[in-house]
Amino acid sequence: MEIWINPACSKCRSALTLLDAEGAAYTVRRYLEDVPSPDEIRAVLDRLGLEPWDITRTQEAEAKELGLKEWPREAGSRDRWIEALAGHPKLIQRPIITADDGTAVVARTDEAVRDALGR
């Protein structure tokens, strides 16, 4: 499995601690440094079963500067949202775990991390 993290994020650190405690094999992707491409974001969204606005941190200063709260949340705007996430990776909700079975979870809780471990 792979986990997208921001090392400064307490939820990310908690997820890593739980993965380590469970002896999980995983790869860390520091997505602010190793920025996912639009295609990688699309693939993760497909695995999550979510839309880009569902994993966007709309309270970040960059989101406010872009005016994301006013952007339409509809299929025709999907690519615009994905491009914004690729161009401003700080806006991507974290951590995200991609499981070996092809699924993914936004692992902000211990329960979500355990869910990923059970896949």
Side-chain angles (χ1 to χ4, degrees):
M1 74 178 56
E2 180 177 79
I3 181 169
W4 291 8
I5 68 156
N6 172 353
C9 168
S10 64
K11 299 278 186 192
C12 294
R13 291 191 306 271
S14 292
L16 292 173
T17 299
L18 183 53
L19 290 174
D20 289 341
E22 295 293 328
Y26 62 92
T27 303
V28 170
R29 180 171 186 169
R30 293 179 178 212
Y31 70 92
L32 296 179
E33 299 162 14
D34 182 8
V35 178
S37 70
D39 285 342
E40 288 176 302
I41 294 170
R42 279 185 196 88
V44 165
L45 287 167
D46 288 346
R47 292 173 81 168
L48 288 166
L50 297 174
E51 293 297 336
W53 45 86
D54 296 327
I55 64 161
T56 300
R57 299 173 56 84
T58 58
Q59 297 304 313
E60 293 288 337
E62 290 177 37
K64 292 175 182 176
E65 289 169 18
L66 293 170
L68 289 181
K69 282 196 173 186
E70 284 74 47
W71 287 17
R73 295 176 181 217
E74 58 194 21
S77 297
R78 191 171 200 262
D79 285 340
R80 181 181 184 198
W81 282 85
I82 290 169
E83 290 296 330
L85 292 173
H88 305 273
K90 190 174 186 181
L91 300 178
I92 299 172
Q93 189 59 266
R94 64 204 181 234
I96 294 176
I97 298 176
T98 54
D100 293 337
D101 70 353
T103 61
V105 296
V106 178
R108 295 191 56 76
T109 65
D110 287 352
E111 295 78 27
V113 175
R114 286 190 181 94
D115 183 41
L117 285 168
R119 295 178 180 198

